[in-house]
């Protein structure tokens, strides 16, 4: 078979449709070429969260979107995820606070450093008015508070939405699954760190 990744669907919200069309066309061409060379073509696989719903047609037999399972800020910016479809956040503690900023105990070793031209900051905290993590050091992040948003008390736990969820999952040993604010399960990340 053959596979594609419509990575150019990440360029801006209006690129997903064209990237999906490219995936469909390229996979059809590849499938025809393989069949003409005598190969049995079982799989024509498209893969990209922004294009997943748009490229599932024609001869495409499989979709491989990855980020869709959790969602993240970039997918929100691209229109592939909504605020209420975000399934993974980083629970972090406020370790220092001033009138205009706070410091959290999550930095690059859990949030990654994933800037995007489509986003401000490296992550966001919805419950703090969408405050963004402006700087991430190894073990902590600096968050600027929007005007009118008071700093939470030191020791408060807040949910941080990462820009790109994939490296976040790769940086932890387990995911803590919650339902209604209570721990429901713990999922080990079997492939943690095995991307070499």
């Amino acid at each position: 078979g053959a596979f594609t990744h419509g990575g150019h669907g990440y360029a801006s919200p209006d690129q997903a449709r064209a990237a999906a069309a490219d995936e469909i066309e390229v996979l059809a061409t590849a499938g025809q070429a393989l069949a003409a060379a005598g190969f049995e073509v079982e799989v024509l696989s498209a893969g990209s969260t922004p294009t997943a719903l748009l490229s599932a047609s024609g001869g495409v037999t499989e979709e491989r979107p990855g980020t869709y399972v959790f969602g993240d800020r970039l997918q929100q910016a691209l229109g592939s995820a909504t605020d209420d479809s975000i399934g993974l956040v980083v629970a972090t503690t406020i370790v220092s606070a001033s009138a205009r900023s706070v410091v959290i105990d999550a930095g690059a070793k859990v949030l990654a450093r994933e800037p995007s031209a489509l986003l401000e900051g490296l992550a966001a905290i919805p419950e703090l008015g969408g405050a963004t993590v402006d700087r991430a050091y190894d073990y902590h992040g600096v968050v600027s508070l929007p005007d009118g948003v008071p700093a939470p008390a030191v020791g408060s736990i807040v949910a941080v939405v990462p820009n790109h969820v994939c490296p976040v999952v790769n940086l932890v040993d387990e995911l803590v699954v919650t339902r209604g604010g209570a721990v429901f399960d713990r999922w080990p990340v079997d492939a943690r760190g095995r991307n070499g």
Side-chain angles (χ1 to χ4, degrees):
F3 74 97
T4 61
H5 174 70
H8 50 305
Y10 283 87
S12 67
D14 60 349
Q15 291 297 309
R17 189 165 303 283
D22 290 345
E23 286 186 286
I24 293 166
E25 180 183 347
V26 167
L27 287 170
T29 301
Q32 292 164 1
L34 287 168
F39 293 98
E40 183 178 341
V41 181
E42 295 180 13
V43 177
L44 295 175
S45 180
S48 160
T49 297
T51 65
L53 296 177
L54 302 167
S55 61
S57 64
V60 174
T61 63
E62 174 184 85
E63 289 289 336
R64 303 178 333 280
T67 307
Y68 83 98
V69 72
F70 293 124
D72 57 26
R73 286 185 74 217
L74 182 55
Q75 295 307 318
Q76 287 176 308
L78 292 169
S80 305
T82 59
D83 292 349
D84 62 351
S85 70
I86 298 298
L88 185 144
V89 296
V90 175
T92 185
T93 304
I94 304 294
V95 295
S96 176
S98 69
R100 302 293 305 135
S101 67
V102 297
V103 177
I104 58 174
D105 67 351
K109 294 203 182 261
V110 72
L111 295 175
R113 283 192 181 104
E114 293 281 328
S116 168
L118 301 178
L119 300 169
E120 181 182 327
L122 302 171
I125 306 175
E127 67 194 271
L128 297 181
T132 59
V133 177
D134 298 319
R135 295 184 309 279
Y137 301 95
D138 282 352
Y139 300 103
H140 68 280
V142 179
V143 179
S144 296
L145 296 171
D147 290 338
V149 174
V154 171
S156 300
I157 296 173
V158 294
V160 179
V161 179
N163 282 4
H164 185 193
V165 74
C166 298
V168 172
V169 172
N170 191 54
L171 290 167
V172 299
D173 293 326
E174 71 176 2
L175 303 178
V176 178
V177 185
T178 63
R179 180 183 293 156
V183 174
F184 174 75
D185 204 354
R186 292 177 181 270
W187 297 343
V189 179
D190 294 336
R192 190 247 199 278
R194 291 186 170 87
N195 55 341

